[in-house]
Amino acid sequence: MAADSPIEKPAGGSSQALQALVEERVDHRFKGLPPDAEGLTVGELAAQRRNLFTGGFITPVLCLSAERLEHNLALMETYATRHGLAFAPHGKTSMAPQLFARQIERGAWGITLAVPHQVRVARAFGVQRVFLANELVDAAALKWIAAQLAADPSFRFVCYVDSVRGVELMDAALRGTSRPVDVVIELAAGDGARTGVRTEAECAAVADAVAAAGTLRLVGVAGYEGEVPGADPERVRAWLRRLVALAVDFDKAGRFADAGEIVVSAGGSAWFDAVADVFAEIPELSQPVLKLLRSGAYVSHDDGHYKHLTPFNRVPEEGTLEPAFRLWAQVVSRPSAEQAFVNAGKRDAAYDLDLPFAQVVRRDGTERPATGVSVTALSDQHAWLRTTPEADVEVGDWVGLGLSHPCTSFDKWQLIPVAEADGTVVDYIRTFF
């Protein structure tokens, strides 16, 4: 939590809405679940504590490690507290209200999201603080946000602005509303980066437009350091110092006079150590500063992209995130000594950055390393396996696959078993993409 900004801990979510997830009926909509669980509620199935390997689950089936999930949640809570950061993890990674609630229970300020649909999901489950890391110019969505703000005085909503035109569209859609919408100016991570204002002079022009719009309130600055071209520690820190300098200059100019607190926000899952370092340098401003970190992929972590990029590799004394996902698939074809196929493909596994990684083979209740087995390609419903002479793989074996890039793992599964190390399934996580 940010030491210089008082944070009232909100409720972790609507208990009624979360209870409705427990009471949802299990049926054909949910991949991998036991066919004989048809008609049970999710809560009833969880209470049976079935084993993932002997309890009737069918392949392919994605599962989360109960122990690793808990470890990752606890580690980032500790990290944010240690570095005086407020934390609004990016919920688009999982879109799982049960995980939102667990994150908020562990001290998260709120949840970061990207598009209006995701905000609707969060609000349906009682999330009281939302940071929308995008400029919002959809009139229908803005009117809905305004209605949410009017109906709930405790609801806090902050979103990006990155253009005068965007400010004009927001103002037109929000005229006549009772509460101003809080906005932060997004500073682009450099020329050729993704969204955001490219220069400080343009940032000032956008800030002037916000000040002229009675429907908006400027409360800070933000951006995403993961888009810094040719990102390395020096370039990322240089951009973060630009962001901090922008906040300082705006504060000196009195642009945050009505803010109550000044939001300075950044932080994906690859450079949050740099964010912690540079945000520690923020000088005292005219109002309390909310130093808001937004890293989200830590919940499940992964076996590929973030496994190699995580800041904990650079500062191991801070701890270690653990990959929590494993996709289980079954060998359905062994056409040659060099090749095998399992029944999980693009519909089941993240593949936009790295292919899955063969980790273990399970046969007759015995699990062993997937020596000599690698994934070389994905079809819609098959993974192509290359097998070397030392590989011991037969039709019918279960193969456990590690996944890369959690942002595209959750979205392929609507109900995900959470299993303990011995395979006992203790919970199910519902997603809403």
Side-chain angles (χ1 to χ4, degrees), residues 266-317:
S269 294
W271 296 103
F272 55 77
D273 57 331
V275 175
D277 291 346
V278 175
F279 280 14
E281 303 169 359
I282 296 176
E284 183 175 351
L285 301 181
S286 64
Q287 301 182 64
V289 178
L290 186 73
K291 304 172 183 177
L292 194 61
L293 182 69
R294 306 194 308 271
S295 311
Y298 80 98
V299 177
S300 61
H301 198 42
D302 69 359
D303 281 292
H305 182 70
Y306 287 119
K307 181 177 181 179
H308 303 299
L309 289 180
T310 176
F312 291 122
N313 291 341
R314 296 187 288 272
V315 281
E317 65 273 15

Side-chain angles (χ1 to χ4, degrees), residues 321-374:
L321 291 170
E322 298 179 353
F325 267 138
R326 180 166 282 174
L327 176 63
W328 288 97
Q330 198 165 22
V331 178
V332 293
S333 180
R334 187 78 158 102
S336 73
E338 296 80 30
Q339 199 172 35
F341 292 85
V342 295
N343 62 344
K346 293 179 180 179
R347 302 291 179 262
D348 314 297
Y351 62 92
D352 57 327
L353 291 180
D354 296 301
L355 291 171
F357 307 89
Q359 295 178 324
V360 295
V361 176
R362 188 177 182 89
R363 182 190 304 157
D364 298 329
T366 300
E367 200 171 290
R368 63 187 180 281
T371 304
V373 181
S374 59

Side-chain angles (χ1 to χ4, degrees), residues 250-267:
F250 274 14
D251 187 47
K252 288 178 179 176
R255 294 187 182 277
F256 301 133
D258 299 325
E261 67 178 2
I262 299 169
V263 178
V264 182
S265 179

